């Protein structure tokens, strides 16, 4: 026999589920939570926390990011060079595949690392980037310093809500 739920019971379950999801999203990241996974060409995985990323040498770019909300005006982005993160694996790669929280992925040629020194930004205008503002990490190229980067190809490489990097 199939039992029917009263609409008010369903609403109660739905509202509890929504509240749980809201609390989960609203909880701040702890400094020791793993926020970035990097896989080297040897398939070894390196997990990094926010505090480990912040302890690494930081670079800042002041640039516009047209594809990011509010990005039509310049912001100061601070983070770790993507080349520094790739070096952690001890691997040499021809390409890097980066994955976002929503499973969007982009391939960045290793030649970009030396030519343009993109960073994995942790901060925008001095503040950690929350998930609801496309954080906690965004790949940032110094777009305003290189006119040749002002193309859709490079805008697409500005991946936000970064979660993992795979060297190939």
């Amino acid at each position: 026999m199939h039992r029917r739920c009263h609409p008010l019971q369903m609403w109660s379950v739905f509202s509890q589920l929504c509240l749980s999801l809201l609390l989960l999203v609203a909880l701040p990241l702890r400094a020791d939570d793993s926020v970035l996974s990097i896989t080297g060409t040897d398939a070894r995985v390196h997990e990094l926390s926010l505090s480990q990323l912040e302890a690494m040498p930081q670079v800042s770019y002041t640039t516009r990011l047209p594809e990011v909300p509010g990005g039509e005006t310049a912001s100061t982005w601070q983070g770790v060079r993507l080349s520094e993160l790739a070096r952690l694996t001890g691997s040499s790669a021809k390409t890097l595949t980066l994955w976002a929280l929503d499973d969007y992925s982009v391939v960045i040629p290793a030649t970009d690392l030396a030519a343009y020194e993109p960073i994995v930004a942790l901060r925008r205008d001095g503040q950690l980037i929350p998930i609801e503002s496309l954080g906690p990490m965004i790949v940032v190229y110094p777009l305003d310093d290189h006119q040749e980067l002002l193309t859709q190809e490079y805008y697409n490489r500005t991946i936000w809500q970064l979660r993992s990097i795979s060297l190939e």
Side-chain angles (χ1 to χ4, degrees):
M1 178 181 265
H2 210 264
R3 190 175 147 194
R4 288 191 72 165
C5 276
H6 189 274
L8 288 177
Q9 289 175 316
M10 292 201 43
W11 176 252
S12 176
V13 170
F14 176 74
S15 62
Q16 289 175 359
L17 178 62
C18 288
L19 180 60
S20 297
L21 289 172
L22 181 63
L23 289 173
L24 181 62
V25 170
L27 291 175
L29 284 173
R30 294 182 319 199
D32 60 344
D33 287 342
S34 175
V35 294
L36 183 62
S37 174
I38 306 172
T39 305
T41 56
D42 60 0
R44 286 190 308 150
V45 178
H46 305 265
E47 298 285 340
L48 296 173
S49 68
L50 187 58
S51 60
Q52 288 172 312
L53 289 165
E54 287 196 300
M56 297 177 76
Q58 302 289 299
V59 175
S60 293
Y61 293 140
T62 299
T63 193
R64 293 171 297 118
L65 295 182
E67 299 290 309
V68 172
E72 56 280 347
T73 58
S75 291
T76 300
W77 304 89
Q78 178 187 332
V80 181
R81 281 189 178 96
L82 190 51
S83 60
E84 186 73 25
L85 294 171
R87 241 189 313 280
L88 286 176
T89 68
S91 301
S92 179
K94 292 185 178 173
T95 61
L96 292 83
T97 302
L98 291 80
W99 295 89
L101 293 174
D102 65 359
D103 286 332
Y104 172 80
S105 66
V106 65
V107 176
I108 294 179
T111 54
D112 275 12
L113 305 187
Y116 303 114
E117 298 185 333
I119 64 171
V120 173
L122 308 168
R123 295 180 179 273
R124 181 180 190 177
D125 296 327
Q127 302 297 314
L128 289 173
I129 308 167
I131 289 174
E132 60 271 13
S133 295
L134 306 180
M137 295 167 287
I138 300 176
V139 173
V140 176
Y141 280 78
L143 298 176
D144 289 345
D145 295 343
H146 300 276
Q147 289 297 317
E148 68 272 23
L149 299 181
L150 300 176
T151 66
Q152 193 62 52
E153 177 181 15
Y154 285 94
Y155 297 160
N156 292 347
R157 293 180 188 172
T158 303
I159 185 172
W160 53 75
Q161 292 184 327
L162 180 65
R163 70 170 164 87
S164 65
I165 302 170
S166 190
L167 281 70
E168 299 155 2

